[in-house]
Amino acid sequence: MADVTLEIGGFRYPMTCREGEQDHFLALASAVDAKVTEARAALGGISEVRQMLFAALLLADAVKDCEA
């Protein structure tokens, strides 16, 4: 197992992943961070949990669009 620290929404999250997947995790975290930034800009000063919730919803919406 490998350790990686993800930075999302100005917060650092230490994570464990399979060896060799660190770059993939960092790329995913970058996509989530972009959506957190988008949510924060649209909604103002919301809590960390709500930032993550809205980021998840935005990403789910993008996936849904790709499935259609």
Side-chain angles (χ1 to χ4, degrees), residues 5-61:
T5 300
L6 308 179
E7 295 188 35
I8 301 172
F11 296 92
R12 296 171 58 88
Y13 301 95
M15 303 287 292
T16 300
C17 61
R18 285 186 242 160
E19 193 65 47
E21 290 188 348
Q22 298 94 319
D23 288 341
H24 183 66
F25 264 53
L26 291 170
L28 293 173
S30 178
V32 173
D33 183 57
K35 292 301 181 183
V36 165
T37 300
E38 186 179 330
R40 187 184 299 145
L43 301 169
I46 57 176
S47 72
E48 176 186 2
V49 171
R50 288 191 181 264
Q51 289 175 30
M52 293 293 195
L53 172 62
F54 279 101
L57 291 171
L58 290 168
L59 290 167
D61 186 51

